[in-house]
Amino acid sequence: MRILITAGGTREYIDSVRFISNASSGKMGVALARCALGRNHHVTLLTASVSLPLPAAAQRHQVVSAHDMYEAVKALFPQCDCLIMCAAVSDYTVRKRAQTKLKKTKEALTLELEPAVDILQWAGNNKRMRGKQQKFVCGFALEDANLHKNAEKKMAEKHLDMIIANSSAAIGADTSAISVKVPSLAWRDYPAATKTINARRIVRAIEACVRPGEGIE
Ligand code: CTP
């Protein structure tokens, strides 16, 4: 498969030096890329903020903001068979970014945010491309409560072929407990494990769903 994997946390700049982001390390996405390469897939790794060595064998692209990542996914998606949307993408972006560093004042400061585009939603809506085989779209769900229920809602709303649910404790951590769901099967809950072990579980689960040349079952 030609697999497009996104990793890391996007940054929404407020001014020339400050940004809003999240605690994503990119470890899960990089582990997925390494695992997929080890299983002879062609990997394109699209990273936002990641402070880890990236696998040299992957085709690498780097972006900053949710909007940059959206543009890059739109450009790279047509050439892939599978998208794994592992990046922690900002849900909101700064409405008016200052071009220079904001000066402090004695007043309270209110930042106006506007919704960022949901990249995974775009991919789910566009996975059937005219004249091309349907793409396999896998998303993640980070939930503090009602893990299965909320993740299943995301899977349905975003037209996903697989969802990986985990708690927000997973963000930035070395280990995580994941739950995997495809629309036609029950949840599979795995105990906490390293992201390398989880990456192997995820890549193998995707391989089991996608038979090259036969489309998605
Ligand atoms: N995602 C995305 N674009 C965004 C936000 C999220 O593509 N602007 C993707 C993430 O990469 C992940 C999935 O959507 O694969 C779910 O992200 P999550 O943060 O769990 O949920 P949201 O859809 O953002 O909803 P909420 O934050 O309200 O739970």
Side-chain angles (χ1 to χ4, degrees):
M1 275 183 282
R2 295 165 303 170
I3 309 182
L4 172 59
I5 300 169
T6 67
T10 59
R11 290 180 174 182
E12 306 307 313
Y13 271 85
I14 297 165
D15 64 13
S16 53
V17 293
R18 300 160 176 124
F19 55 83
I20 298 172
S21 191
N22 56 68
S24 171
S25 59
K27 283 175 200 156
M28 190 68 239
V30 171
L32 282 164
R34 290 193 186 284
C35 172
L37 286 164
R39 296 179 67 79
N40 290 325
H41 297 291
H42 178 277
V43 174
T44 302
L45 182 57
L46 176 58
T47 54
S49 175
V50 171
S51 48
L52 287 173
L54 305 180
Q59 195 186 93
R60 284 156 289 147
H61 298 266
Q62 210 186 333
V63 292
V64 176
S65 67
H67 183 75
D68 298 342
M69 185 167 274
Y70 174 53
E71 292 297 332
V73 167
K74 277 199 298 183
L76 296 167
F77 193 61
Q79 296 99 51
C80 78
D81 304 307
C82 169
L83 167 68
I84 310 179
M85 195 71 208
C86 189
V89 185
S90 184
D91 287 334
Y92 291 92
T93 187
V94 179
R95 178 153 279 167
K96 202 161 175 286
R97 172 184 167 173
Q99 292 310 308
T100 52
K101 181 173 168 265
L102 288 171
K103 283 296 194 188
K104 66 170 173 281
T105 69
K106 297 265 183 275
E107 306 302 315
L109 175 67
T110 304
L111 275 178
E112 206 177 337
L113 305 180
E114 60 187 13
V117 64
D118 190 318
I119 304 166
L120 189 59
Q121 180 78 69
W122 175 86
N125 290 346
N126 288 279
K127 64 185 180 179
R128 289 180 183 84
M129 289 189 169
R130 195 185 306 225
K132 294 200 174 189
Q133 193 178 319
Q134 186 179 314
K135 296 169 195 315
F136 190 92
V137 179
C138 172
F140 276 69
L142 204 61
E143 307 292 344
D144 283 328
N146 304 318
L147 189 76
H148 287 180
K149 189 167 165 268
N150 289 345
E152 264 184 89
K153 190 164 175 270
K154 282 178 191 170
M155 180 165 66
E157 283 175 357
K158 302 192 192 197
H159 310 296
L160 307 181
D161 302 296
M162 178 178 289
I163 195 140
I164 315 299
N166 51 18
S167 86
S168 36
I171 201 157
D174 288 329
T175 59
S176 60
I178 58 165
S179 297
V180 180
K181 174 96 175 91
V182 295
S184 58
L185 298 173
W187 278 98
R188 292 203 65 171
D189 299 313
Y190 295 99
T194 64
K195 292 186 174 178
T196 303
I197 291 172
N198 284 335
R200 192 175 158 82
R201 288 171 175 153
I202 295 165
V203 172
R204 291 187 63 160
I206 293 173
E207 288 169 350
C209 294
V210 181
R211 305 266 176 266
E214 292 174 20
I216 298 160
E217 289 170 353

